[in-house]
């Protein structure tokens, strides 16, 4: 397909000329489109938070109890890791725009590394919970267990939402690898960096989701709430 | 004659030689639109067939041609295909693709390759939906609403249907996204928002619904799948889950979805009425803004599907109150259309009689919607045939009828041919009469307490079902005849000029009919209102070579 | 006992008349709105048809603020009237009477049957009844919800947690509420009429959704009391006679004969011709083809046995008792049978003697019109009117 | 975004400043339950999250100054908010017949918790 942008001119009755926006190489359209896409992510996670708040309203105390039993140290570490990865991502993009392609690549690698660490920590956390008998289709979360409804729902949603967030992280890693490949192929350059911008935006929204997931799951029960189960 | 978009195309990958591959890989918005039409219309007939089977089954009490379980699968298949495969993507995917870029003077949509990928995502969704027919226990039997916990308990292939709906939802999101960006970025110079044709307004409002409501149902379906496989508990009462939450999440999308269907259809109406009244539309701004406010209010009224679900009474009151306010902008539109006809010169061509017929049928559909949003009445009428008749009047008598109006209206533009007017009108009258015969008796049956999704019924209701059956036969005869007329028109019809209706909007100012590959030979400058008529003639005229105004 | 839609009629419960009133009010107002759109449409399409309008005469109006405000404000007002009626009827349904003044029955809906559990009676016995609709015999048998007339009944409804959603729908009472696993929902009614009423499941629940029927049997208070205090598991037996009107519908007579009007459908209106019971029975059983109706003949064997008897009595009585002369004044507003004229005026069916004489004394200010006072009406006349109203109350 | 006019040092400074702010906010997240608003940890936590989100969206995602996109984001946000108000504030808050319902039954270990009145949430 060859669609180089041929600048077009529209002419009105008086002969005044107006530049026409073509769809080819429309940087702003790329950005706008990606923002709109991110709004759909907002709605998706919004709906899940809605479900969470729904049961929270029905079982406030159970939610506090369940929250208190999560591992805040690991959760907090992961928060900081994502924070830093957002920085590396941002700096990478900044470097790309200023022409430092090599630095940009380095930053992307750093981000990938941080993402992997995040996943590993998450894995440890899930494993510990599994050992406590808390896991989907397992022990405490089965219908016949005596864990209160509120806690069952809390953990059910906890695995769902952190799981889906994890899926986003994995997709993000894939996208970053693809980005590196495109940079190497000279398809993404300091002059033509919309792809890089959008992946940076994607990574930020992944981070953004965690900014809400973290306090809702790990912190609400951190106060004087009586211990877990 | 110069080349049209049938002769050449751009492709997503490479430059294939064979015509077939050129169609498969095309990124041209007009070709993609036509492919959507072809596919949708095929599925459409599958759904019509299941509908007919249901009507035969309901001809008299007791089993006729199928058993209860098959009937349950039949209405699910009918509902799922009609809603997810046909009517939700319908008008945006077909006419939004074909004419919207033409109307704003663009060469294509903002992301043509995404458009192509979206089409194939849609096909993928269709394949998944249909393959559920043959895999495992057969197609889902949950109804198109997939209510938990039934959808969690049944043995049929619900997962496939859910995945299909999710994929189709994604296709819908991407279409909306593409159109939003297109409308924001690619309008011809000079065309402000209030100089856009009203169909574009309809598509714009719709695109916002596609973008912001669809993800909610997407995630709901994902949650349902996770519930079924991993027992996360949120819809399972045994683990404390609340089935009513599912209904909330489902209708948060599915109510806006009904406006997603009707808004572009209203857009078609707003194109046809001024064109065949040879007169500028009455209240352009109110019509444009009412589309936006219907979309906006439409987000806040989903609860009127939950009046008897056990939702709190306060919420019922709030939802009922809000729902009435959708009727106001809709009513304003209707009055504006009628006022457009005042002192016009009304040409009763086929698109126009379809549009006027729809004013009657949709008004009935809308007004009976008002009946069931009065809570006390809905307590009686919810899940009866009154509701079923309401939404068939709204969907079939509103959206599908207007889609047909659009098909007649843009037929010369798309194919470059004319159909036979007399025959097309006969097809209209058959369908109009058949339709009313088919659905009006159902209001009465519903009022007397005929519940929906009933495979067998009490003998009192027989008479209504029988009238309905004959209506269905007449309707489907007219439907098939209409397609025959189209087919004959396309293959043997007279060639059409670029502007056979004397219309004003930009899609009729093309050098050839059908349009060439990259649309207008040059992008026009738009310093005029969309529907300017003077003494029955379009005011704005272009030199089709340079696209400069010559009036 | 076949299962059929017994008496879809106002007056069966205290709330249904209000629902019908709201419905018809809505229909009439909406008809006005509908005509305000469709009327001008036809008129303009005819008046300004292409061959009658010269190009120069085409109008150019594109705005008219006054008009636009009118067609926004008037519908808003009408919508608020609808909201008011919709909401108040809902409030009546949803405002549960005090449990101390009602009978509370637990209802369980499961695939695909309804079960009822009563509170313990004086001797500590708990009635548990209900069961499956017999598809072959087309009967509910005796498994029904038995309740006394003129009493508040609260239904506390639920479904087992591993079941699905159902919905308890009683068309004759205009009421319905979903039965949700894991939740308890409630609804209530108070029937003013002895008889049987169908219960349908109105939320799709799988294979036998369309056979998930039940029945509500409304009995005299004394009969109910007697059964309730008994300790046997038996359900009450008795004659809950079906009325002629529903039988007419059930046997398909109404598809050929008008009953309330003089219209000729396929056959003659049953209202105009007065035949004796025997004559009607004869026609029903043997058919008839002597009056020369073009559309066909009256088929034989339309109904048999007790049903045929009942129909014959009903038809022979002209579908109602004799109308007291004094009712003529009422019928101009409330209709021939006092059921109200489609929302123009309320149905009088559920009114008893005290209520009616009270209204005669004071008159009444309604939403649409005014009920005048009738001071010189005698007690006997009132009694006759009430009797007549109750006769038509079927 | 015009490539020519960017000032690398300036922009990098912004990134670091925001990072520091976010780290501080994260730290506050941890000490908040012991320090302030202990009566409504939930509310405090969400407020902090909103501030963090604001920083990320405005600076990391460069939303600042986007005339067209900001209203779109607002629109989506307010929709989500409205869904919350309606579903949580109006429906669940008035949950009907909770006392009799199975799904709101109090399990033994969490006895004492008030299950049907949301007013007592989060402390
Ligand atoms: C295209 C689709 C479409 C459209 C446009 C509508 C439009 C409306 N619908 Fe409908 N509806 C459906 C499709 C649609 N609906 C479907 C598919 C279902 C069932 C789903 C299922 O359960 O399977 C449903 C169900 C449904 C219910 C739930 C019924 C139940 O299950 O109990 C309700 C209740 O309030 C409702 C109300 C309305 C209202 C108030 C409108 C309003 O928008 C109507 C506004 C229009 C008018 C009012 C007419 C035009 C105006 C005039 C003529 C002017 C003058 C009139 C007035 C001012 C009143 N609809
Ligand atoms: C788009 C929506 C749509 C359309 C057009 C129809 C059309 C028809 N429907 Fe459908 N129906 C639904 C959506 C629709 N239905 C839904 C959502 C349900 C609820 C399901 C559930 O309970 O879960 C339902 C339920 C439903 C029932 C109730 C089942 C029950 O509750 O027991 C019945 C019963 O007869 C029925 C019959 C029919 C009939 C006879 C038609 C006929 O009018 C069919 C004839 C078809 C047409 C006239 C369409 C013509 C259009 C084209 C040919 C398109 C051309 C295409 C292109 C150009 C691309 N439908
Ligand atoms: Cu039970 Cu339908
Ligand atoms: Cu709706």
């Amino acid at each position: 397909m060859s669609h180089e942008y041929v600048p077009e001119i529209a002419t009105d009755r008086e002969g005044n000329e107006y530049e026409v926006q073509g769809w080819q190489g429309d940087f702003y359209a790329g950005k706008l489109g990606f923002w709109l896409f991110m709004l759909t992510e907002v709605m998706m996670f919004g709906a899940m938070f809605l479900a969470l708040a729904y049961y929270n309203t029905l079982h406030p105390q159970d939610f506090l109890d369940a929250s208190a039993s999560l591992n805040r140290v690991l959760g907090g570490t992961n928060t900081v890791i994502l924070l830093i990865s957002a920085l590396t991502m941002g700096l990478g993009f900044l470097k790309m725009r200023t022409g430092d392609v090599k630095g940009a690549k380095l930053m992307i690698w750093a981000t990938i590394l941080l993402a992997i660490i995040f996943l590993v920590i998450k894995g440890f956390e899930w494993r510990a919970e599994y050992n406590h008998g808390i896991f989907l289709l397992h022990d405490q979360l089965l219908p016949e267990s005596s864990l209160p409804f509120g806690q069952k729902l809390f953990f059910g949603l906890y695995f769902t939402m952190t799981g889906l967030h994890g899926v986003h992280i994995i997709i993000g890693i894939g996208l970053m690898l693809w980005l590196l490949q495109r940079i190497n192929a000279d398809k993404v350059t300091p002059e033509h960096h919309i792809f890089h911008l959008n992946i940076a935006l994607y990574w930020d929204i992944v981070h953004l989701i965690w900014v809400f997931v973290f306090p809702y799951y790990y912190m609400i029960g951190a106060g004087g709430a009586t211990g877990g189960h | 004659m110069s080349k049209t978009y049938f002769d050449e195309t751009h492709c997503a990958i490479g430059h294939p030689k064979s015509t077939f591959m050129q169609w498969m890989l095309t990124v041209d918005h007009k070709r993609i639109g036509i492919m959507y039409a072809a596919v949708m219309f095929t599925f459409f007939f599958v759904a019509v067939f299941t509908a007919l089977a249901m009507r035969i089954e309901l001809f008299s009490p007791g089993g006729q041609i199928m058993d209860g379980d098959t009937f349950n699968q039949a209405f699910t298949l009918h509902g799922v295909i009609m809603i997810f495969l046909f009517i939700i993507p319908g008008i945006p995917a077909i006419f939004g693709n074909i004419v919207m870029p033409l109307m704003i003077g663009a060469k294509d949509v903002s992301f043509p390759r995404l458009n192509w990928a979206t089409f194939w995502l849609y096909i993928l969704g269709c394949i998944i939906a249909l393959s559920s027919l043959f895999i495992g226990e057969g197609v889902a039997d949950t109804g198109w609403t997939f209510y938990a916990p039934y959808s969690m308990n049944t043995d049929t292939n619900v997962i496939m249907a859910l995945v299909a709906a999710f994929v189709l939802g994604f296709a819908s999101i991407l279409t909306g996204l593409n159109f939003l960006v297109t409308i924001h970025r690619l309008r011809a110079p000079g065309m402000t928002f209030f100089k856009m044709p009203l169909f574009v307004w309809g598509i714009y409002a719709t695109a916002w619904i596609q973008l912001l409501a669809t993800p909610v149902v997407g995630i709901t379906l994902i949650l349902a799948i996770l519930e079924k496989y991993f027992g996360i508990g949120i819809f399972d009462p045994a683990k404390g889950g609340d089935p009513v939450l599912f209904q909330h999440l489902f209708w948060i999308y599915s109510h806006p979805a009904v406006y997603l269907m009707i808004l572009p259809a209203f857009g078609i109406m707003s194109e046809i009425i001024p064109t065949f009244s040879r007169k500028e539309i009455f209240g352009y701004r109110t019509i444009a803004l009412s589309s936006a406010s219907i979309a906006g209010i439409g987000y806040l009224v989903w609860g009127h599907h939950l009046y008897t679900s056990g939702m709190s009474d306060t919420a019922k009151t709030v939802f009922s109150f809000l729902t009435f306010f959708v009727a106001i902008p809709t009513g304003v539109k209707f009055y504006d259309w009628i006022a457009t006809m005042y002192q016009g010169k009304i040409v009763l061509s086929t698109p126009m009689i379809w549009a006027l017929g729809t004013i009657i049928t949709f008004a009935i559909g809308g007004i009976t919607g008002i009946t069931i949003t009065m809570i006390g009445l809905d307590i009686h009428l919810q899940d009866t045939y009154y509701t079923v008749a309401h939404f068939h009047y709204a969907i079939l008598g509103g959206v599908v009828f207007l889609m047909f109006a659009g098909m007649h209206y843009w037929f010369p533009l798309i194919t470059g041919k004319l159909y036979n007017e007399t025959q097309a009108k006969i097809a209209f009258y058959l369908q109009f009469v058949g339709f009313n015969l088919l659905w009006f008796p159902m209001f009465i049956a519903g009022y007397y307490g005929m519940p929906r999704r009933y495979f067998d019924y009490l003998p009192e209701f027989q008479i209504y079902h029988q009238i309905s059956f004959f209506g269905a036969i007449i309707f489907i005869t007219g439907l098939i005849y209409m397609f025959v007329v189209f087919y004959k028109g396309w293959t043997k019809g007279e060639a059409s000029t670029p502007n056979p209706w004397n219309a004003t909007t930009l899609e009729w100012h093309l050098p050839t009919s059908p349009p060439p590959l990259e649309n207008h030979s040059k992008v026009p400058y738009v310093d005029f209102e969309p529907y300017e008529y003077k003494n029955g003639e379009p005011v704005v005229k272009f030199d089709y070579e340079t696209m400069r105004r010559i009036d | 006992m076949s299962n059929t839609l017994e008496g879809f009629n106002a007056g069966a419960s205290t709330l249904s008349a209000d629902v019908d009133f709201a419905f018809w009010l809505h229909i009439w107002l909406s008809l006005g709105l509908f005509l305000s759109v469709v009327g001008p449409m036809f008129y303009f399409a005819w008046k300004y048809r292409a061959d009658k309008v010269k190009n120069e005469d085409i109008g150019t109006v594109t705005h008219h603020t006054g008009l636009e405000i009118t067609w926004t404000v008037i519908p808003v007002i009408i919508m608020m009237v609808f909201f008011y009626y919709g909401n108040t009827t809902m409030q009546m349904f949803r405002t549960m009477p005090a449990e101390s003044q009602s009978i509370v029955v637990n209802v369980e809906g499961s695939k695909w049957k309804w079960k009822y559990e009563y509170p313990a009676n004086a001797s500590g016995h708990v009635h548990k009844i209900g069961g499956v609709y017999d598809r072959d015999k087309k009967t509910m048998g005796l498994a029904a919800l038995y309740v006394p007339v003129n009493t508040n009944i609260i239904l506390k409804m639920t479904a087992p947690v591993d079941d699905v959603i159902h919905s308890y729908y009683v068309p004759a009472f205009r009421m319905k509420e979903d039965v949700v696993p894991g939740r308890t929902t409630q609804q209530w009614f108070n029937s003013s009429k002895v008889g049987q009423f169908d219960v349908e499941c109105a939320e799709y629940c799988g294979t036998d959704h369309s056979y998930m029927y039940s029945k509500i049997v409304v009995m005299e208070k004394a009969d109910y009391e007697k059964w309730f205090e008994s300790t046997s598991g038996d359900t009450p037996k008795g004659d809950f006679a079906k009325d002629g009107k529903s039988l007419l519908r059930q046997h398909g007579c109404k598809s050929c004969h008008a009953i309330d009007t003089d219209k000729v459908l396929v056959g003659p209106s049953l209202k105009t011709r007065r035949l004796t019971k025997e004559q009607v029975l004869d026609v029903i059983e043997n058919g008839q083809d002597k009056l020369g109706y073009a559309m066909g003949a009256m088929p034989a064997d339309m109904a048999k046995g007790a049903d045929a008897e009942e129909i014959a009595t009903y038809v022979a009585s002209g579908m109602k008792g004799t109308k007291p002369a004094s009712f003529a004044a009422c019928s101009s507003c409330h209709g021939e049978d006092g059921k109200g004229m489609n929302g123009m005026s309320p149905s009088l069916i559920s009114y008893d003697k005290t209520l009616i004489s009270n209204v005669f004394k004071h008159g009444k200010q309604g939403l649409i019109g005014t009920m005048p006072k009738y001071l010189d009406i005698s007690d006997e006349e009132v009694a006759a009117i009430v009797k007549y109203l109750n006769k038509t109350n079927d | 975004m015009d490539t020519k006019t960017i000032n690398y040092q300036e922009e990098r400074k912004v990134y670091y400043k925001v990072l520091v702010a976010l780290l501080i906010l994260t730290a506050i997240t941890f000490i908040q339950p012991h320090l302030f608003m202990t009566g409504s940890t939930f509310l405090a936590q969400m407020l902090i999250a909103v501030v963090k989100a604001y920083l990320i969206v405005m600076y990391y995602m460069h939303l600042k100054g986007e005339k067209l996109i900001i209203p779109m984001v607002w629109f989506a946000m307010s929709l989500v908010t409205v869904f919350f108000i309606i579903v949580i504030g109006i429906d669940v808050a008035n949950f009907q017949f909770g006392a009799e319902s199975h799904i709101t039954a109090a399990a033994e270990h969490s006895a004492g918790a008030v299950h049907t009145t949301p007013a007592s949430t989060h402390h």
Side-chain angles (χ1 to χ4, degrees), chain B residues 4-5 7-11 22-23 25-28 31 517:
Chain B
T4 72
Y5 71 105
D7 303 314
E8 55 181 5
T9 189
H10 295 310
C11 287
Q22 281 182 358
W23 276 91
L25 294 176
T26 184
V27 294
D28 181 20
R31 281 198 178 196
L517 174 59

Side-chain angles (χ1 to χ4, degrees), chain A residues 19-208:
Chain A
E19 198 181 328
V20 175
Q21 177 64 55
W23 59 265
Q24 298 92 337
D26 185 357
F27 179 85
Y28 189 80
K31 188 161 81 175
L32 179 63
F34 204 81
W35 268 99
L36 292 176
F37 175 75
M38 287 192 294
L39 295 186
T40 68
E41 293 271 341
V42 170
M43 301 308 290
M44 274 203 189
F45 274 88
M48 279 191 279
F49 274 109
L50 188 64
L52 190 64
Y54 192 93
Y55 293 118
N56 192 346
T57 317
L58 289 180
H59 309 280
Q61 188 58 40
D62 289 351
F63 264 57
L64 297 188
D65 294 346
S67 165
S69 76
L70 287 180
N71 190 329
R72 271 191 286 284
V73 176
L74 291 185
T77 316
N78 261 349
T79 307
V80 175
I81 288 175
L82 271 193
L83 260 179
I84 298 173
S85 80
L87 176 83
T88 52
M89 193 54 160
L91 287 182
F93 180 54
L94 192 58
K95 284 184 198 297
M96 173 59 80
R97 278 160 65 212
T98 45
D100 179 2
V101 176
K102 222 168 142 217
K105 286 207 299 202
L106 204 69
M107 283 298 166
I108 297 170
W109 277 116
T111 317
I112 294 179
L113 190 71
L114 288 166
I116 291 172
I117 297 177
F118 179 93
L119 287 177
V120 170
I121 295 184
K122 190 92 247 162
F124 275 113
E125 235 186 292
W126 278 26
R127 212 179 74 137
E129 273 138 18
Y130 184 88
N131 291 337
H132 272 91
I134 293 185
F135 204 72
L136 295 176
L137 298 178
H138 184 66
D139 210 4
Q140 298 272 341
L141 295 193
L142 292 174
E144 51 273 19
S145 94
S146 65
L147 198 66
F149 285 156
Q151 297 211 25
K152 274 187 196 161
L153 291 163
F154 179 93
F155 287 115
L157 280 164
Y158 163 80
F159 287 112
T160 308
M161 287 176 72
T162 54
L164 283 178
H165 182 258
V167 170
H168 276 78
I169 300 252
I170 294 171
I171 294 175
I173 294 177
L175 286 174
M176 283 187 270
L177 290 174
W178 187 21
L179 173 62
L180 284 168
Q181 188 259 323
R182 300 272 292 179
I183 296 178
N184 287 336
D186 251 359
K187 288 271 164 41
V188 175
T189 60
E191 290 75 41
H192 193 89
H193 54 248
I194 179 73
F195 190 61
H196 196 162
L197 167 69
N198 284 347
I199 287 175
L201 284 177
Y202 174 86
W203 196 250
D204 283 325
I205 192 116
V206 172
H207 180 194
L208 205 59

